[in-house]
Amino acid sequence: MGDVTDPLLDLVRRHTEPVVAQTLRSTIAAVISYVVALLLSSEPAPLTAPLTALLVVQVTLYTTLTTSVRRVNSVVVGVVIAIGFSSLVGLTWWSLGLIILASLVIGRFVRAGEFVPEVAISAMLVLGVTTTRVAATAWDRVLETLIGAVVGLLFNVLFVPPLWVQPASEAIEGLAGRMHDLLLSLGRQVQGHTTVAQAAERLHEARRLDHDIVQVDAELRQAEDSLRLNPRVKEGLLSRVVLRTGLDALEISAVVLRTTCRTLTDLAKARTDEPLFEPEVADALHELFAHMARAVESFAVLITTQVSANAQEAEERLMRELAASRDSREVVARLLLDGVQKHPRQWQLHGALLAEIDRILDELDVEKRSERLVEELNSRVRAQREKYPLVDKARARLRIGRATPSVDALERDRD
């Protein structure tokens, strides 16, 4: 019985995921725009309307509002260009090339943005019809485009797009998980003899984190857009800043972690016939990297957790691991100093290793993270007030502003 019901339960559970919700929204909006276009357009198959609706019903409401105007603009400009060309020349290879060139150039002048190619596409589609029906077809395409755009906009206003915070949070936690595994690998690497090839493999793993960060950043940008102008979100600015500053800290930590792997690789090259460290130092470093790995993991949970109780638990766990990391760091520093005084070989690499560990711990520090969070919130609030002074005055009069209480609350928590 369990085998039969599990797929069904999984389907029911997945229907609320952003990808599934977005697929259903796009499909329904396209169908509605096609039905409306059938009633208003003279075209027997007004497919431009559902096509425009698919393009306009973007992943987020913010993206829809900022791109729909440029999409409609590009289609209308392309149609106008096609009408002008149809009255002068027919469709030949040289006229096709000329209309594409003119569309691409004019598209940049009218600021169609990333939709410049759609100017040429619209012009070609209209010009591809027989010249006797160009004018009628052209204005039908304009009408269909407007229908699709209006339906798409109304659909996004009435049925708010899904939030993409959860996928971004999972991506951030995945990045932290890979950093966690790499730190544990370094802890095992420093114990016993490490070949140059083994150290270089850890360095390659650290370099692959750069690609991971690019992917996580794309997920986060989508999540930030989904939080903007979304009526379901009360503290959209706070949520965006928490995730963004958290990813910035992880990104810096990943860069420093790559440098740490570089330091250990250089040390392996200098000590090909012996262990990287004495057994006592190696054991202390193993413990230190284990604490740092758990700290990175706890940091990711802290910045991606929306429930306050879980966030409090994650913060307490992070503070414990950071305190244990600093204690272990002091033990390692003392042991390395004793070793350098006896045998001062590659002392600069020992110092670099300690400095890199300090930098990672500093990026994960809870108090400094709160300070950066407050600074970033204040900066963004000031920028919004300077950019939209009238909106800020209206908010102050209606007392619906949400940003300032969030900043004050964070400052109280920090104090």
Side-chain angles (χ1 to χ4, degrees):
M1 181 67 180
D3 294 338
V4 176
T5 58
D6 285 349
L8 181 61
L9 292 176
D10 183 64
L11 178 62
V12 174
R13 186 165 51 247
R14 288 177 62 86
H15 88 281
T16 57
E17 292 184 0
V19 174
V20 178
Q22 178 61 24
T23 301
L24 294 175
R25 293 173 65 258
S26 299
T27 303
I28 296 173
V31 172
I32 292 176
S33 64
Y34 180 73
V35 172
V36 175
L38 281 175
L39 299 175
L40 301 179
S41 175
S42 62
E43 286 288 313
L47 295 177
T48 304
L51 173 62
T52 304
L54 284 174
L55 297 175
V56 169
V57 180
Q58 294 297 311
V59 175
T60 67
L61 178 60
Y62 176 79
T63 307
T64 297
L65 294 176
T66 55
T67 60
S68 58
V69 174
R70 292 199 299 274
R71 287 190 186 277
V72 174
N73 182 39
S74 65
V75 173
V76 172
V77 171
V79 168
V80 172
I81 293 174
I83 292 176
F85 268 80
S86 66
S87 62
L88 299 176
V89 296
L91 180 58
T92 62
W93 67 267
W94 61 267
S95 64
L96 178 63
L98 191 59
I99 195 173
I100 292 175
L101 177 63
S103 299
L104 295 177
V105 173
I106 295 174
R108 302 205 176 269
F109 277 103
V110 298
R111 297 182 179 182
E114 66 270 34
F115 308 119
V116 168
E118 292 189 18
V119 179
I121 293 172
S122 299
M124 286 189 294
L125 289 175
V126 173
L127 194 63
V129 190
T130 59
T131 55
T132 57
R133 296 192 65 249
V134 159
T137 302
W139 294 118
D140 280 336
R141 289 195 180 277
V142 172
L143 175 62
E144 293 168 22
T145 300
L146 291 175
I147 291 173
V150 171
V151 170
L153 284 172
L154 290 177
F155 204 86
N156 274 337
V157 172
L158 296 176
F159 304 97
V160 181
L163 294 175
W164 292 80
V165 176
Q166 186 60 33
S169 299
E170 292 174 356
I172 291 174
E173 291 180 0
L175 172 64
R178 288 184 286 276
M179 294 173 63
H180 167 274
D181 295 340
L182 180 56
L183 283 165
L184 292 181
S185 297
L186 292 180
R188 293 189 295 267
Q189 174 181 301
V190 297
Q191 292 182 310
H193 178 63
T194 301
T195 64
V196 176
Q198 291 172 333
E201 178 60 28
R202 300 289 84 74
L203 178 58
H204 291 320
E205 289 182 22
R207 287 171 176 167
R208 284 194 289 269
L209 290 174
D210 292 341
H211 178 67
D212 296 335
I213 290 173
V214 172
Q215 293 181 325
V216 176
D217 184 70
E219 293 277 0
L220 181 54
R221 285 200 302 272
Q222 188 177 64
E224 290 174 324
D225 285 345
S226 71
L227 290 168
R228 291 187 175 98
L229 305 178
N230 198 312
R232 291 187 295 170
V233 180
K234 294 182 179 180
E235 295 288 355
L237 176 60
L238 177 60
S239 299
R240 297 200 309 270
V241 172
V242 167
L243 290 173
R244 175 56 63 183
T245 54
L247 179 59
D248 289 344
L250 285 178
E251 181 177 359
I252 294 174
S253 299
V255 172
V256 179
L257 184 55
R258 185 176 70 230
T259 308
T260 303
C261 293
R262 175 79 262 180
T263 299
L264 292 175
T265 302
D266 292 341
L267 195 59
K269 292 178 180 178
R271 302 180 179 181
T272 56
D273 299 326
E274 58 182 315
L276 295 183
F277 302 97
E278 295 295 327
E280 190 177 7
V281 179
D283 291 340
L285 276 172
H286 176 78
E287 181 181 353
L288 171 58
F289 283 131
H291 286 305
M292 292 175 64
R294 290 192 289 269
V296 168
E297 201 170 45
S298 298
F299 181 84
V301 174
L302 173 62
I303 65 175
T304 58
T305 300
Q306 301 298 320
V307 182
S308 58
N310 293 337
Q312 180 66 29
E313 180 182 349
E315 182 174 346
E316 293 174 356
R317 185 166 60 250
L318 173 60
M319 294 179 68
R320 288 197 303 269
E321 293 299 339
L322 287 176
S325 297
R326 293 189 177 96
D327 291 340
S328 297
R329 186 267 181 204
E330 293 304 318
V331 174
V332 171
R334 185 177 67 254
L335 293 174
L336 287 176
L337 179 59
D338 294 340
V340 167
Q341 290 175 344
K342 296 176 182 178
H343 305 287
R345 294 180 306 148
Q346 293 87 41
W347 61 268
Q348 72 279 9
L349 294 178
H350 293 172
L353 180 62
L354 289 175
E356 289 148 9
I357 290 171
D358 288 340
R359 182 62 186 275
I360 294 176
L361 296 178
D362 184 69
E363 286 298 324
L364 302 178
D365 185 77
V366 175
E367 292 186 2
K368 292 187 177 180
R369 171 184 170 274
S370 298
E371 292 175 0
R372 288 195 298 267
L373 193 58
V374 171
E375 290 173 359
E376 185 66 20
L377 275 171
N378 282 328
S379 175
R380 295 201 182 191
V381 169
R382 285 194 298 268
Q384 286 185 353
R385 289 173 177 172
E386 293 173 359
K387 188 175 182 179
Y388 306 107
L390 296 179
V391 174
D392 182 63
K393 290 180 181 179
R395 278 186 167 186
R397 291 173 182 173
L398 296 175
R399 296 183 180 180
I400 61 172
R402 298 288 186 182
T404 302
S406 300
V407 176
D408 295 339
L410 282 171
E411 289 178 337
R412 288 195 300 271
D413 292 341
R414 183 185 60 177
D415 295 337

